[in-house]
Amino acid sequence: MTNEAFARVKIDQLLKDAEWRLTDGRSVRFEYPLDDGGKADYVLFDRQGRALAVLEAKRTSVNLSTGEAQGRRYAAQLGVPMVFLSNGEEIWFCDTGQDAHFRKVETLFSQDDLARRKAARDIRRNPLDIPIDSRIAGAGGRVYQTACIETLCREIVNGRRKMLVEMATGTGKTRTAAALLKRLFEANWATRALFVVDRNTLAIQAEDAFAEHLPHLPCYRVPRTGRRFQDEKRVTIVTLQTLVNEYAKYSAGYFDLIVIDECHRSIYGQWKRALDHFDGVKIGLTATPCVMQEAPDVDEEDRQAIRDTLRFFEVNRPSFSYTMTEAIADGHLVPYEIYRAMTARTAATEGSTINRAEIDWGALEEAPRRELEALFAGDDEIIVDPTALERKFTIPERNRAMVREFREVLENGYTGLNGVRRAPDWGKTIVFAVTKRHAETLARMFDDAFADKKPSPTTRYADFVISGMGADDTVDGQAKIKRFKKEEFPHILVSVNMLDTGFDCPEIRNLVMARFTHSSILYQQMRGRGTRHAPGKNRFTMFDFTGVTLRHGDDETPGEGGVVVVRDAVRPPARPRRLLTLDVHDEIDPATREWVTVDETGHAYLDAEEAAVEALGAAFETWLDGQDFNSDQLRLLRLIEEQIKANAAELQSFESWRFDQPPLSMNGGYERARAVFGGEDELAHILDKMNRAVFPDSGARAPGDAAKPEKPVN
């Protein structure tokens, strides 16, 4: 078999992967004669027999760029605008009426996707000629929203395929996205759009917003992994976790517009394969600054997230930017004041000294007592980093002091050194906590402190929501958030990873920073929870009990905030404290001294099996992103991935005997797998690496154990 013939065998398989019918005599035609006497390797047709695209085959040893001119010439003779080039491994694509250059795509487009794109292309209009719906964007003097849409449409018309938008929290990113979608759909520049978020809470909010602003545009939310995308709908809303597990089932042409909300996340480094899969215009939305800060104290995770984001969108700064400073100056966001008050333990930036005599040793269980003894190592004191509080150490009196201080200042205000008395507004309050147990503790303390404000003893003035607690709490957590937004009680909601980003409640009057973070990105998102306008609201107050505003230089900058009132550090009463040592993943309840393991992934699931499916899919995707496989190997690995997810409940590793079980046995079984990966040893090596990455607790075999294992006998 010649090199080119071998390439065509592989191209035939790529067509089958994209669900083209090779044997019906209509959809795919080979060696298609042209007017100049030449022959196109493949011509792709729609269901009515009309030509859609040319597909030119090249030998694997030849650079695909050598086929560009030939592909364009054949397309012109056939009167079709779209050209694919492939050697069986790589696929390049060009829309000759829009693109100056070919670009790499992950798969051939399916027949339906190709026909849909061509039909839209034939009636496409310039989106800049389509009026922006002022009922969605630009109302109330928000001209920056229409300016953003104009900028993006101009970039799209000019051929740019990746753009990044920075808009401060509360300035209407979702509304702007909705108006942009409407314009691009009306101009036929988009036929099917994907809206990606990183949490289900944000997916629900987006679904509600699109239902309000785009009632005539069919939108839906994919509720969980395993649900097929709905072909008849125009806008698909999905979490990144679900997308990672589903994207490989669709051709690269399925979506022609992808909008990624809150796009500062590290997804652009670790899981970018899922976003790169679809050949669509990609627009990122973020509320946090995306220009690299070169200061030496910038959090390294922030630096990496910004770097990955800018690299993914191929820019050195956002395509459009509207900052919090601009929004406050324009009156679209409310300014804020900071009340900073830290306990003696928190204020000790060089570390707080804990004396052996301060600890109530008799209240400790044996395990934490031994750990503390090891920390003291025979000395009379240890130094505790304030950032370790509520992670490795908890000081109950510190939490009580914060709650008492909040109530006192809320009720009586505080007169600063300049003689000016200021008082925060009573209203809805978010408290940012460190861990699950910290949130539970603070919620009880706040509830007790405001007991006189409750209509009945059974009413919760303060409650808490956690991301990642478990099945029962997830449903309850959404109900708590809804009550917090819509009802009078709870008045205070303590959050861990649930309300930090993307939560929309204009009635927030106070934010309590009981959690320290080095991340400037996370800090600015937390701060943004209070910036939205509401009736009677002209400011909000941040209570900083951890020094986080000092870490991020939040001060009296005009337009960024109000007067910073600093209160002297409050030293708790001199009484013995229970100082409990905590593992970073485990924490102890001060009341019951029981060990509690906290899931810190930031995600909640409806059931354990769904959690396992998503976790295995994400682990597989992370491993795959760092590997280099040919198309045949990748195709087989995708089948393995499906089997891993289908058997997530009981699978602890993937062993080679499974190749001879359905459905893998229908793909040639173990012998086919061995041939695809180049031999028994290579196959064993690949499975070993995969199992180590996907099932880290399985204990993979040594590379030398290459023999095919037998299926276990029950």
Side-chain angles (χ1 to χ4, degrees), residues 646-678:
N647 298 279
E650 68 269 3
L651 208 61
Q652 295 182 343
S653 67
F654 184 91
E655 297 172 301
S656 56
W657 61 263
R658 294 182 181 275
F659 285 116
D660 290 329
Q661 305 296 310
L664 291 174
S665 60
M666 301 168 64
N667 194 54
Y670 178 79
E671 292 305 319
R672 167 67 175 163
R674 187 173 63 174
V676 165
F677 284 102

Side-chain angles (χ1 to χ4, degrees), residues 133 135-136 178-179 182 186 206-220 233-235:
D133 192 335
R135 295 169 299 180
I136 304 175
K182 186 173 188 290
E186 288 181 353
E207 184 180 32
D208 292 342
F210 288 154
E212 176 185 355
H213 302 313
L214 304 172
H216 303 301
L217 199 63
C219 306
Y220 75 106
K233 298 296 179 70
R234 306 294 296 278
V235 180

Side-chain angles (χ1 to χ4, degrees), residues 410-422:
L410 195 62
E411 203 152 55
N412 302 316
Y414 177 73
T415 302
L417 297 176
N418 59 1
V420 177
R421 178 186 175 277
R422 293 178 179 271

